[in-house]
Amino acid sequence: MNAILNPTEKSQIHFGQYIRSGKNPPKTTVSDNTHHYRELVYSVIMDTMSNAYPILKNFLNAKEWENAVQYFFENHKSQTEQIWKLPFEFYEFYLENPFPTKKIIPFLNELMYFEWLEIEVFMMEDLEFLPFSEKGNPKTDVLIPNPEIKILPLQYPIHNKATKKITEKDKGQYFVSLHRDYYDKQVKFNELSLPFVEMLVLLNEQETTFIDLYPILKKYESDSEKISEQILEFIRFALENNLILGYKKTRN
Amino acid sequence: MVGIGYRKEFSKEFLYDHKIHPDFVEVAPENWLGVGGYWKQEFKKVREKYPLFLHGLSLSIGSPEGVDIDFVKKIKAFIEETGAVLYSEHLSFSKVDNAHLYDLLPIPFTQDAIDRVVENILIVQDLLGRRLILENASYYTLLKQEISEPEFINEIVRRSDCEMLLDVNNVYVNSFNHHYDAKEFISKMPLERVKYIHIAGHFKVNEHLIIDTHGAEIIDPVYDLLDFTLQKLQREVPILLERDFNIPELEVLESEMTQLRNIQNKVLNPMIV
């Protein structure tokens, strides 16, 4: 943009800065009405963030939440044309900037990303589904995964424990998957063990059958019978929860 | 033709209960671009049932920094992908200082602004390969005013060769807030360029201010203004009922659409009514 601004451009920039900060209102033709623009825009931003981050909002008190939204809006230049994507910029902003509350929230980033992913997985563009059959042989057929999935490693159990009750004692290793159900297109959550995560990752990386999963569980279990049982248990769980859609269609 | 703004809030009833019978639907492309899953399926059903009109929110034709070329290209692809009948936008700005603000802010009525807007429109029209249809905005105050609103709009339309979406409710809201005669204003519009009409309800804050909320039923003076507009136009122009908040039962919206059709029929087919 040209560095030499005309008075019209200067006034528009001043107006934008006022709307974002609520400070230093510009002189306008009906000064009594200038504040309506700040209020209208701010309420849209506040509603968008409140709808996107209900758990975080509930965890904070009203003032802390308002400060968090206002600090973001004032200090971040929103880049997306699609307002439903703005909560991701909120998350990214607070990865880089201190969250404006006195209390330290060790699981803040994890919680924000978890809440954002629910929106992202629900709204994301459709991915390609390989043709599959619901019937097949779990021990021999190629397993077809649901590609519309995100797996989130966590240090705190934000997915299954009230945030206000989470303490340092809860710190550990958790995995949660968020996927879009193939049939009803709603987002579903599953808590997963590390071996289950590894198997899901493999399924999404390459054509996988029962036997390909064996080396993963071999790291955790030496009894081959138990390994087979656990793989079958994983396949049953994944089919039941729509993490695996079915079996590769064989040509007749 | 009378259409309605399709809202996710009433999607199920809208698609399956047959309580409402619009001739077309309108959506904001920003709410549907790159969306998959459940809403993609619902949107497809809507498009299979009704002709689609697009009404954008984020183009920001009045931005001092110019328009976002990549975004315009995305819009073009979306128009083609959806087979939309029409794409319109607002004569306002919503991005400034490289920050989106997600509201329709009034462009100052100045010569500098006209020059910038015309330049932006020409770029967009060139990229889209079609004329832009721009809506007269509602406004509660202005940053600067060197010329009147009709002069501002007419010069932009003339120099850019764009077309116009005449929002009758916006004219009413502005005439109330800024104390002018709404019919006189409409008479001064480039009516031969009007391709589309919007109508809606609003919220009267106090004796001096109306906010354009799209959150209430259309009031009689706005219906009268539509009647006047159609008398001046003497041709059929698609009319859209906008309702974005406080959405009532669909029967209420259907009844508003019936009233709009009656006005249209009365003006265009006076012998039949």
Side-chain angles (χ1 to χ4, degrees):
Chain A
M1 194 175 152
N2 194 330
I4 303 162
L5 300 170
N6 64 47
T8 295
E9 292 167 334
K10 280 183 191 163
S11 73
Q12 287 177 279
I13 290 169
H14 183 178
F15 195 35
Q17 287 165 346
Y18 160 67
I19 285 172
R20 285 170 51 210
S21 68
K23 296 167 195 161
N24 186 24
K27 236 176 131 180
T28 66
T29 55
V30 190
S31 290
D32 284 351
N33 289 347
T34 313
H35 69 100
H36 288 294
Y37 283 102
R38 154 75 184 167
E39 286 157 18
L40 288 166
V41 173
Y42 188 65
S43 79
V44 168
I45 301 298
M46 183 53 93
D47 285 351
T48 302
M49 295 310 157
S50 297
N51 290 332
Y53 294 107
I55 305 173
L56 177 61
K57 184 187 174 194
N58 186 46
F59 178 76
L60 302 171
N61 66 41
K63 191 72 199 158
E64 287 169 332
W65 174 242
E66 206 180 304
N67 285 345
V69 175
Q70 172 51 38
Y71 186 75
F72 160 74
F73 191 50
E74 184 173 350
N75 294 288
H76 171 74
K77 295 186 176 183
S78 304
Q79 293 302 297
T80 180
E81 303 90 5
Q82 298 178 271
I83 193 165
W84 65 268
K85 290 182 179 173
L86 190 61
F88 182 62
E89 294 185 22
F90 184 76
Y91 160 71
E92 284 190 315
F93 178 80
Y94 281 121
L95 279 182
E96 302 292 327
N97 295 280
F99 201 71
T101 52
K102 279 183 189 160
K103 62 172 95 144
I104 293 165
I105 313 165
F107 50 82
L108 177 76
N109 291 344
E110 287 187 351
L111 178 60
M112 289 176 76
Y113 193 48
F114 177 71
E115 295 206 84
W116 163 251
L117 273 188
E118 184 177 358
I119 298 170
E120 184 180 310
V121 172
F122 182 66
M123 296 290 277
M124 69 184 178
E125 289 197 63
D126 293 349
L127 297 177
E128 190 188 349
F129 289 91
L130 297 171
F132 67 91
S133 162
E134 286 177 8
K135 286 184 180 162
N137 186 337
K139 286 200 164 171
T140 55
D141 293 348
V142 172
L143 302 160
I144 301 296
N146 181 346
E148 295 185 333
I149 187 169
K150 303 271 181 189
I151 297 170
L152 185 62
L154 298 167
Q155 286 189 304
Y156 295 90
I158 51 156
H159 57 294
N160 62 8
K161 190 167 181 179
T163 42
K164 284 182 181 169
K165 290 182 178 168
I166 294 175
T167 66
E168 273 305 299
K169 284 181 189 165
D170 293 309
K171 196 171 177 185
Q173 189 184 48
Y174 307 89
F175 297 95
V176 61
S177 68
L178 298 88
H179 73 277
R180 188 158 65 193
D181 189 276
Y182 178 80
Y183 299 98
D184 68 11
K185 301 295 175 192
Q186 300 302 310
V187 178
K188 311 273 169 74
F189 304 86
N190 283 290
E191 185 169 3
L192 303 170
S193 64
L194 180 56
F196 273 31
V197 169
E198 290 183 62
M199 287 191 280
L200 272 179
V201 169
L202 187 71
L203 279 163
N204 279 281
E205 281 177 352
Q206 63 176 60
E207 248 190 24
T208 306
T209 60
F210 179 94
I211 200 72
D212 300 316
L213 299 172
Y214 200 88
I216 292 174
L217 287 187
K218 189 123 186 13
K219 292 189 291 182
Y220 304 98
E221 177 62 65
S222 53
D223 184 330
S224 56
E225 217 167 281
K226 280 187 181 164
I227 291 175
S228 293
E229 276 171 26
Q230 285 169 12
I231 293 174
L232 285 174
E233 166 60 18
F234 164 73
I235 294 173
R236 186 197 57 73
F237 170 84
L239 280 166
E240 208 172 277
N241 288 286
N242 200 236
L243 304 173
I244 291 177
L245 301 174
Y247 306 93
K248 187 176 181 181
K249 277 189 173 172
T250 47
R251 284 185 197 158
N252 292 323
Chain B
M1 281 178 92
V2 174
I4 192 153
Y6 167 67
R7 308 281 315 174
K8 289 175 180 171
E9 291 90 327
F10 58 59
S11 178
K12 273 212 171 89
E13 256 189 301
F14 182 78
L15 275 169
Y16 308 113
D17 287 358
H18 310 289
K19 290 179 182 170
I20 193 162
H21 304 93
D23 299 310
F24 64 93
V25 293
E26 184 201 88
V27 303
E30 290 81 354
N31 294 336
W32 301 93
L33 256 168
V35 171
Y38 176 81
W39 285 118
K40 184 174 184 169
Q41 290 183 342
E42 293 295 286
F43 187 41
K44 186 165 176 272
K45 289 176 199 163
V46 170
R47 283 188 284 129
E48 284 166 357
K49 212 167 164 187
Y50 303 102
L52 178 70
F53 284 36
L54 297 177
H55 187 51
L57 297 167
S58 298
L59 180 63
S60 197
I61 205 72
S63 271
E65 58 248 59
V67 286
D68 182 335
I69 304 294
D70 287 341
F71 178 64
V72 179
K73 287 179 181 170
K74 280 188 210 165
I75 291 288
K76 183 179 185 182
F78 191 70
I79 294 169
E80 286 164 3
E81 180 195 324
T82 57
V85 175
L86 175 153
Y87 169 63
S88 61
E89 250 286 355
H90 299 86
L91 188 51
S92 62
F93 72 104
S94 54
K95 184 184 182 190
V96 68
D97 196 19
N98 192 31
H100 281 279
L101 297 168
Y102 310 105
D103 198 9
L104 305 166
L105 308 173
I107 302 169
F109 295 162
T110 66
Q111 200 58 50
D112 284 336
I114 290 175
D115 293 344
R116 168 56 75 181
V117 170
V118 169
E119 191 183 328
N120 288 346
I121 294 173
L122 292 174
I123 290 168
V124 174
Q125 291 185 153
D126 190 41
L127 286 165
L128 292 181
R130 61 168 72 198
R131 286 196 182 98
L132 251 185
I133 302 173
L134 289 173
E135 174 183 325
N136 56 303
S138 57
Y139 58 98
Y140 316 117
T141 186
L142 287 169
L143 294 163
K144 288 182 182 301
Q145 180 162 22
E146 293 168 358
I147 53 177
S148 71
E149 189 183 0
E151 286 172 316
F152 178 76
I153 292 173
N154 274 286
E155 186 170 343
I156 287 171
V157 170
R158 182 180 56 76
R159 283 176 52 191
S160 69
D161 197 26
C162 73
E163 294 174 322
M164 192 174 175
L165 187 174
L166 184 62
D167 189 315
V168 176
N169 181 59
N170 286 357
V171 174
Y172 179 83
V173 168
N174 291 343
S175 71
F176 179 92
N177 290 341
H178 306 291
H179 320 290
Y180 61 67
D181 185 293
K183 289 180 180 170
E184 195 184 319
F185 177 90
I186 284 173
S187 301
K188 289 179 180 170
M189 287 296 96
L191 293 176
E192 71 287 354
R193 289 292 176 145
V194 173
K195 296 288 166 188
Y196 190 20
I197 289 174
H198 273 186
I199 192 159
H202 53 246
F203 175 63
K204 191 170 175 183
V205 179
N206 55 42
E207 288 310 304
H208 309 287
L209 181 69
I210 291 176
I211 301 269
D212 174 32
T213 56
H214 303 171
E217 288 176 39
I218 303 165
I219 61 168
D220 286 342
V222 177
Y223 279 123
D224 291 344
L225 205 51
L226 175 70
D227 189 317
F228 175 81
T229 304
L230 295 177
Q231 298 276 2
K232 297 287 286 183
L233 286 171
Q234 281 303 316
R235 67 177 194 278
E236 186 170 357
V237 173
I239 301 170
L240 182 93
L241 170 62
E242 297 182 290
R243 188 66 183 256
D244 300 336
F245 301 100
N246 297 327
I247 295 168
E249 294 295 315
L250 291 188
E251 288 88 344
V252 176
L253 299 179
E254 176 71 7
S255 132
E256 282 189 291
M257 289 203 301
T258 301
Q259 197 158 344
L260 295 173
R261 283 193 184 99
N262 289 343
I263 294 171
Q264 206 171 37
N265 287 336
K266 187 195 78 166
V267 174
L268 297 175
N269 306 302
M271 304 301 284
I272 298 169
V273 176

